[in-house]
Amino acid sequence: MSRPAVAILDDYQNNAFDLTDWSNIRSSADITVFSQPWKSEDDLVEQLQPFTIISLMRERTALPARVLDRLPNLKLISMTGGRTSTLDLDACTRRGVWVSYTGSSPSHAAAELALGLMFACARALPQAHANMRGGQWQEGLPMGMQLEGRRLGVVGLGKLGTYVARVGLALGMDVVAWSQNLTADAAREKGVRRVEKHELFADADVVSVHLTLSDRTRHVIDRVALSAMKKGAIFINTSRGPLVDEAALIDVLKAGQIMAGLDVYDIEPLPEDHPLRMLPNVILAPHLGYVVSNALAHFLQESAQNILTFLEGGVPPLKNPDVLNPSTAR
């Protein structure tokens, strides 16, 4: 009888084995790590067809029904985190594939990155660094923005948005917030003021996005909102690319109206010839929001434990518990 085959996906920085002890799994299964993005959907299917178990890193690899239907050997997807918009849970249940999950990370790393992008945009730090590396001084650098006394607009006042708001207040910024469900009282409890969406985008000097992607929030930041931003304002997104109308954002950036600091995109990894890579008023990061050692270790350790539980005949925490009912699977 052949040993189960485990695939660890999208380990871009090659640190899965450094952050987690996989020895208990190795004793009963073969492990393969994939560190490069897939060339195509067919490439993904071809390489993953032999595997029984997949350790899925957040939403880096999409697994829609049309992909899952081409992976006949798959029995378990060990998902990191508790939410995903790129995995078809219904298709997994239909095919009898268990989907385990981990707790969310206690880290505020994505919020810290948003603040880092805010500072980098406000003082043109990448351009300044390039000048110094190139033997120049202040030639061609845009004038910086002092953040104290400026208005920070936070879109989404959950855990990460609240963290950014607190730092903004500590910097002496005027902090306002908006989301579809945010009330004036809830904002006031966190020391900020709720405003309507148009006012936030029209008046803020910095806008930072901290929403969960759903059908309701897809493109919630539309052309009207982006076009309302004042000249020289800064737009930060470390949440999810599809929250924003990307075509509208590119148009506003091409017009030189605003600066942006982006960590997330409609297509990831961002294609080499993507327009955002060509614009001088954008600072780009390769979806690093949660990518810090303690957060990844948390995700991978729980993912490995879920795999081990499965291999030992137990039932890990399941996103699709109906899969245990034979009538729901084919």
Side-chain angles (χ1 to χ4, degrees):
M1 182 174 177
S2 61
R3 286 158 53 94
V6 178
I8 301 174
L9 304 192
D10 303 319
D11 183 21
Y12 295 153
Q13 296 177 351
N14 290 294
N15 52 25
F17 290 152
D18 294 331
L19 295 173
T20 305
D21 182 4
W22 297 84
S23 57
N24 288 336
I25 295 173
R26 284 183 186 278
S27 66
S28 57
D30 298 320
I31 302 176
T32 303
V33 176
F34 294 89
S35 299
Q36 297 296 320
W38 311 103
K39 297 175 183 178
S40 65
E41 196 168 277
D42 286 340
D43 174 49
L44 181 158
V45 169
E46 180 181 353
Q47 297 202 52
L48 293 187
Q49 276 186 344
F51 290 93
T52 315
I53 298 169
I54 289 174
S55 177
L56 184 65
M57 177 53 69
R58 300 296 297 269
E59 296 168 323
R60 290 180 176 179
T61 289
L63 295 175
R66 63 180 181 273
V67 169
L68 294 164
D69 287 344
R70 298 169 67 190
L71 301 177
N73 298 308
L74 188 59
K75 301 300 180 185
L76 172 72
I77 295 174
S78 182
M79 187 178 81
T80 56
R83 282 195 305 258
T84 178
S85 62
T86 56
L87 172 64
D88 192 322
L89 282 174
D90 290 339
C92 289
T93 303
R94 171 173 55 81
R95 294 193 57 82
V97 176
W98 294 16
V99 180
S100 67
Y101 64 97
T102 72
S104 61
S105 167
S107 169
H108 288 91
E112 292 177 359
L113 181 64
L115 293 163
L117 289 170
M118 178 176 73
F119 284 115
C121 288
R123 301 306 299 271
L125 292 180
Q127 298 97 313
H129 176 78
N131 269 18
M132 295 298 288
R133 288 292 191 185
Q136 297 176 290
W137 192 236
Q138 294 187 11
E139 299 92 324
L141 294 182
M143 188 60 62
M145 175 194 295
Q146 177 177 304
L147 295 173
E148 183 181 13
R150 299 280 188 161
R151 175 168 289 185
L152 169 62
V154 180
V155 180
L157 205 58
K159 181 182 78 169
L160 299 182
T162 298
Y163 184 94
V164 169
R166 289 205 311 265
V167 175
L169 291 169
L171 292 171
M173 301 183 78
D174 172 31
V175 183
V176 298
W178 172 85
S179 73
Q180 291 152 319
N181 297 326
L182 182 65
T183 65
D185 287 343
R188 192 178 305 113
E189 288 174 1
K190 297 181 178 181
V192 306
R193 182 166 56 89
R194 185 197 186 277
V195 297
E196 294 300 327
K197 176 181 171 182
H198 181 79
E199 180 182 344
L200 184 147
F201 279 88
D203 293 347
D205 299 287
V206 181
V207 174
S208 190
V209 181
H210 303 280
L211 291 173
T212 299
L213 180 63
S214 67
D215 290 341
R216 189 182 183 203
T217 59
R218 187 176 297 273
H219 284 194
V220 69
I221 300 169
D222 54 16
R223 186 174 296 273
V224 173
L226 293 166
S227 298
M229 294 182 71
K230 63 174 70 172
K231 186 170 179 59
I234 297 169
F235 178 77
I236 306 294
N237 187 11
T238 57
S239 293
R240 288 294 182 270
L243 293 166
V244 183
D245 181 339
E246 190 174 87
L249 176 61
I250 290 170
D251 287 344
V252 172
L253 288 164
K254 283 182 175 179
Q257 182 175 334
I258 64 172
M259 280 198 66
L262 305 176
D263 187 46
V264 289
Y265 313 93
D266 280 3
I267 301 173
E268 296 184 2
L270 193 66
E272 291 183 16
D273 59 350
H274 196 280
L276 285 171
R277 290 185 183 267
M278 317 301 170
L279 296 171
N281 51 337
V282 187
I283 297 173
L284 305 175
H287 203 151
L288 293 176
Y290 65 90
V291 184
V292 291
S293 58
N294 62 313
L296 283 183
H298 167 84
F299 284 138
L300 289 169
Q301 286 163 11
E302 289 197 16
S303 178
Q305 181 57 54
N306 288 341
I307 293 171
L308 185 61
T309 298
F310 176 82
L311 289 172
E312 292 176 343
V315 180
L318 294 177
K319 287 295 290 184
N320 60 340
D322 287 347
V323 75
L324 301 178
N325 180 357
S327 66
T328 64
R330 78 175 189 188

